[in-house]
Amino acid sequence: SNKSLLIDAFIDKEEIPPEMFETPYYVIPTKGGERAYAILQEVLERTGKFAIVQAVLRNKEQLGAPYGREGAIVY
């Protein structure tokens, strides 16, 4: 399994309707990824944008739209 997020784009939150989200996950950084996590979280929260990403969740590659909220990244 891959422990990284591949960012394809950044979009405004208004571009994704809330009903498109099933179950939110809180993303935590892996060892050595704390700085990148903090930078991404701060950028997402300050800009109010979603990142369009490819990630592996439960051994399946999925498209997602994480965003920053209250000091965390929500996927």
Side-chain angles (χ1 to χ4, degrees), residues 17-70:
E19 60 270 9
M20 295 300 292
F21 293 98
E22 293 177 13
T23 304
Y25 297 92
Y26 285 85
V27 179
I28 58 170
T30 57
K31 185 173 178 139
E34 297 89 355
R35 184 168 184 240
Y37 176 93
I39 291 169
L40 179 59
Q41 183 280 321
E42 185 175 340
V43 167
L44 292 174
E45 197 162 345
R46 276 191 192 183
T47 62
K49 301 234 181 216
F50 282 106
I52 302 301
V53 303
Q54 294 176 35
V56 176
L57 289 175
R58 299 183 180 169
N59 297 322
K60 250 176 109 176
E61 187 170 320
Q62 298 183 6
L63 188 62
Y67 59 95
R69 185 174 88 191
E70 299 175 5

